[in-house]
Amino acid sequence: MRGLLALEEGPRIDFDALRLARRERVVAMMEENAIDVLMCTRQGNTRYIVGHRPLWRAVITPWAPMCTFVRSTRGIHLVAATLDDGL
């Protein structure tokens, strides 16, 4: 039952399947527009692709490079830093 949420009423939600379906839609759009690497700089966009729930940190701004998604490998690289001294 990994990734399932029991609701008081209605069916269960399979979050793993939801994330995979969203990611496949992103890959399809990337292929259609010939985009190899997608940089998501907003938490909502990152959450759509990855499904993560970030912990609140005062130093992270919504303008930091939050996620890089590579189409060819389906690689997801999460970054949560706003420092200019390298990652």
Side-chain angles (χ1 to χ4, degrees):
M1 295 255 264
R2 186 177 157 276
L4 297 179
L5 174 68
L7 300 175
E8 290 183 18
E9 54 192 56
R12 297 175 185 259
I13 298 171
D14 186 350
F15 286 103
D16 288 338
L18 179 66
R19 285 184 205 106
L20 289 174
R22 287 177 173 178
R23 206 169 297 141
E24 288 305 314
R25 284 194 297 265
V26 170
V27 168
M29 292 303 294
M30 289 174 74
E31 288 175 353
E32 184 179 315
N33 294 291
I35 298 172
D36 296 323
V37 176
L38 182 65
M39 296 278 303
C40 297
T41 58
R42 299 289 177 152
Q43 286 184 12
N45 298 338
T46 300
R47 193 173 301 129
Y48 183 84
I49 292 175
V50 182
H52 79 102
R53 294 178 182 220
L55 296 174
W56 171 253
R57 293 178 181 248
V59 297
I60 296 177
T61 65
W63 301 281
M66 301 290 290
C67 171
T68 303
F69 181 67
V70 182
R71 176 173 49 115
S72 63
T73 63
R74 307 289 201 273
I76 298 169
H77 308 279
L78 291 173
V79 180
T82 57
L83 306 174
D84 292 331
D85 59 355
L87 300 172

